[in-house]
Amino acid sequence: MYRFTSLLSITALFAGCAITESGDDVQCEGGKCDGGKDRCYAEARYNDGTCDAECPEADIDCFVMFDDQAQASSWFSQLETRLATTEVREPRALIPTTDARFKRMRELLDRGWASYQKHMPVGLIDQPPELVVIDDPVANAFVARDHASNKAAWVVMVQTGAMANQPDHALLGVVMHELTHATKLHVLPGTGDRVRIHYQIEPGDPEPLGYKQKDDPRAREAITAWRALGEDAGAYAYAELNGMPAPGSLLSSVLNAAVAKADLSTCQSTVTAVDALTAFMAAHTAPLTNLLELPTAADKAQLSQLTRAFLTDLRDVCLAGSTLDVFQLMAELFGVTPAQVAERFPMAEQVAVAGKHVVDQITYLAGDRHRRMREVAALLQQETGRDITTLRYFSTEEAADDSTVPVMRDMGLPVDSVGQFFLPLLSETARNECTAFLDANTTPPYGDLVDEHHATCWRVAHVQQLGAATGPQQAYSAPLPATPTSGAYREIAGEQLPRWRRASDDTSNALH
């Protein structure tokens, strides 16, 4: 089963306070902003026993604090058990405090925290965060929500892969990024909605700084609709996918869950179809965005042929006679009952998928979302004369990246340290392309709108731009047609597929 599901993953089935969210420059000293005149302080809302997630400075009531590193490690071990179950893998081991890698990371985190407090609003938090180092070769760092209390855990998790071949300043940059996810409560439900600033650019104009922008209602509606549909079915919406859900989506997880139940001995022709699809998609995926690009009609025709062959073989051969359905598979993904899933589906979709083979159920739902994504793009083009690639939003990831700039400057280290962490993690092809953009001082591709981690090369260029900015930065003011918002984008988006929070939803990640 491993080879088949791995192939599916390869083909797309198968990481603030950035100045401030309001876009106004704030002078902070000792973790206190506006000279300590924060309204939450005036109203004694900090440390009153109730978490106030909307206060601009970190409310101590919103955090699970630990007495020592051992207690933090014990807490993480429980989280890791849930993560491993969700991700169908074995729990990872932790590096002991006596390990040189832990000692290095502990020293860096303490240095970084000392500088972080000077520039970022941390409220009444005065103790350094705890540290957990995970034995995992994947380069990543993250923070997490405590499920039981719905509070942010005051501990940073760093995987050993993040420490390999990275200089201290780059590693410090990514850990300061994660501190912003923690102090700004980005791991709590709903925080991302309050942070986002939506706007649209004029093609060819210089890239603006997101935190300086004013939220544009039309851009907000279009982006929100696109992201909701993309979370269901993926970040791109070609009709030639024939309803095959695209990467990172809920329906791709459902399809993988169906494949995982297949008898591999009956699936050899499906494996052959996947191999062909894998090769095509790898050849047509843009290195800097990981998005599928089909520049010609022949490319689109070939994708249609390959996806149809795969989906037909999966249905008629590999999963022939299967009695699986989307309600059952989604229930298993979220740890609820099929009835709970079914009752939260729109009635029209319950009727539409009733009695269908599970592959047809999935492709019907994904194909419907892809169609509506194309409608969102068409409406945006009609209303603004600009395509979907001109949309932008300031995200929790951008906020966390931005926060590292003043901290690293205060430490006398490169202001783009977090970007220097990201760049070596790109493939050689992507790194070369990215370096060409950076050397030419031009803006790299933004990436997809679904994931809050904008394209990695764009993030590298962005922190360089922010680090080089001097004096007041003007807000972007590209003219927009006067057409008022009408709710049309929301109407196109309709209802999302039902979902429940999983352990992985309560963690940040440094990278896409």
Side-chain angles (χ1 to χ4, degrees):
M1 205 67 243
Y2 174 79
R3 178 172 178 267
F4 190 52
T5 54
S6 293
L7 285 168
L8 290 178
S9 297
I10 291 171
T11 63
L13 291 172
F14 333 90
C17 177
I19 318 307
T20 67
E21 276 86 353
S22 65
D24 298 321
D25 291 325
V26 172
Q27 299 299 318
C28 301
E29 286 188 31
K32 306 296 187 289
C33 295
D34 296 330
K37 297 176 182 178
D38 182 296
R39 180 176 176 182
C40 292
Y41 276 112
E43 297 177 356
R45 291 156 68 185
Y46 291 111
N47 201 23
D48 65 353
T50 300
C51 171
D52 197 327
E54 296 192 32
C55 282
E57 298 195 28
D59 183 357
I60 193 81
D61 299 306
C62 296
F63 293 86
V64 173
M65 311 297 286
F66 300 99
D67 294 334
D68 51 33
Q69 191 274 331
Q71 190 180 65
S73 294
S74 177
W75 173 87
F76 175 75
S77 294
Q78 297 177 49
L79 171 64
E80 174 64 7
T81 298
R82 295 197 301 275
L83 287 171
T85 300
T86 300
E87 298 165 5
V88 194
R89 58 169 175 77
E90 292 297 317
R92 296 166 293 181
L94 303 185
I95 297 298
T97 58
T98 54
D99 190 290
R101 292 168 294 181
F102 185 96
K103 292 179 178 179
R104 176 195 178 201
M105 194 65 251
R106 181 70 263 178
E107 190 271 335
L108 288 174
L109 183 55
D110 289 341
R111 283 174 53 200
W113 171 242
S115 180
Y116 191 92
Q117 294 177 86
K118 300 178 186 178
H119 299 279
M120 295 296 116
V122 299
L124 301 178
I125 300 176
D126 57 8
Q127 73 180 63
E130 295 298 338
L131 170 69
V132 168
V133 180
I134 308 164
D135 191 3
D136 188 326
V138 176
N140 197 19
F142 58 96
V143 293
R145 177 181 77 112
D146 176 66
H147 178 77
S149 65
N150 194 33
K151 296 181 178 183
W154 191 230
V155 55
V156 177
M157 277 64 68
V158 179
Q159 296 175 189
T160 52
M163 304 174 69
N165 302 315
Q166 289 280 8
D168 285 355
H169 68 269
L171 190 53
L172 259 173
V174 79
V175 175
M176 295 304 99
H177 168 106
E178 293 305 325
L179 278 187
T180 293
H181 281 320
T183 61
K184 300 303 289 182
L185 305 174
H186 292 165
V187 294
L188 301 190
T191 304
D193 295 333
R194 294 193 294 271
V195 170
R196 295 186 197 103
I197 302 170
H198 308 75
Y199 58 103
Q200 190 175 17
I201 67 168
E202 186 73 52
D205 279 5
E207 194 79 10
L209 295 173
Y211 80 90
K212 298 292 291 185
Q213 308 315 303
K214 294 181 179 180
D215 194 73
D216 174 63
R218 187 198 337 265
R220 173 178 285 271
E221 284 192 14
I223 291 170
T224 300
W226 182 274
R227 294 187 72 234
L229 294 165
E231 286 170 3
D232 282 353
Y236 41 79
Y238 293 110
E240 292 78 12
L241 288 167
N242 291 307
M244 185 183 78
S249 64
L250 174 55
L251 286 169
S252 69
S253 297
V254 175
L255 187 58
N256 277 331
V259 170
K261 295 179 181 294
D263 179 357
L264 184 59
S265 66
T266 69
C267 297
Q268 292 309 306
S269 58
T270 313
V271 170
T272 299
V274 168
D275 286 343
L277 184 57
T278 298
F280 176 86
M281 295 184 79
H284 291 78
T285 296
L288 293 186
T289 63
N290 288 323
L291 289 175
L292 188 63
E293 294 186 349
L294 304 175
T296 70
D299 292 330
K300 293 178 180 178
Q302 188 174 1
L303 176 65
S304 182
Q305 177 185 358
L306 291 170
T307 54
R308 194 177 299 280
F310 162 66
L311 293 167
T312 300
D313 201 281
L314 179 62
R315 181 192 62 200
D316 297 344
V317 179
C318 193
L319 290 172
S322 172
T323 59
L324 295 169
D325 66 58
V326 290
F327 305 137
Q328 173 191 346
L329 293 171
M330 287 180 64
E332 292 175 1
L333 284 174
F334 292 115
V336 296
T337 67
Q340 287 175 300
V341 174
E343 69 184 10
R344 288 174 57 173
F345 261 74
M347 182 55 66
E349 291 190 338
Q350 292 187 46
V351 172
V353 302
K356 293 181 182 289
H357 189 282
V358 65
V359 173
D360 291 333
Q361 291 179 325
I362 293 168
T363 56
Y364 169 80
L365 294 170
D368 175 69
R369 268 77 182 163
H370 292 158
R371 173 187 58 79
R372 287 190 266 160
M373 290 171 79
R374 295 193 296 273
E375 289 182 10
V376 167
L379 180 58
L380 183 75
Q381 183 74 47
Q382 175 186 327
E383 289 190 343
T384 72
R386 308 176 206 173
D387 65 31
I388 201 78
T389 65
T390 63
L391 291 178
R392 301 283 189 271
Y393 65 98
F394 178 73
S395 68
T396 56
E397 293 302 325
E398 192 174 334
D401 285 347
D402 288 2
S403 72
T404 67
V405 171
V407 175
M408 304 312 291
R409 180 180 284 120
D410 177 73
M411 299 178 73
L413 297 172
V415 293
D416 65 333
S417 290
V418 71
Q420 293 188 32
F421 176 88
F422 294 145
L423 189 59
L425 302 182
L426 294 172
S427 69
E428 182 178 2
T429 299
R431 190 164 60 251
N432 289 339
E433 288 191 17
C434 184
T435 300
F437 275 103
L438 300 175
D439 289 347
N441 198 30
T442 54
T443 303
Y446 186 72
D448 74 75
L449 292 170
V450 178
D451 195 316
E452 298 224 0
H453 300 77
H454 311 312
T456 301
C457 185
W458 186 93
R459 294 172 69 185
V460 174
H462 174 74
V463 292
Q464 289 187 359
Q465 176 191 4
L466 183 61
T470 57
Q473 300 299 306
Q474 296 299 313
Y476 191 76
S477 57
L480 283 169
T483 306
T485 58
S486 62
Y489 295 102
R490 293 193 299 272
E491 185 176 346
I492 292 171
E495 297 183 57
Q496 274 192 282
L497 292 175
R499 47 185 31 87
W500 288 258
R501 289 188 73 84
R502 295 174 287 180
S504 57
D505 296 325
D506 295 329
T507 63
S508 66
N509 282 296
L511 294 169
H512 192 297

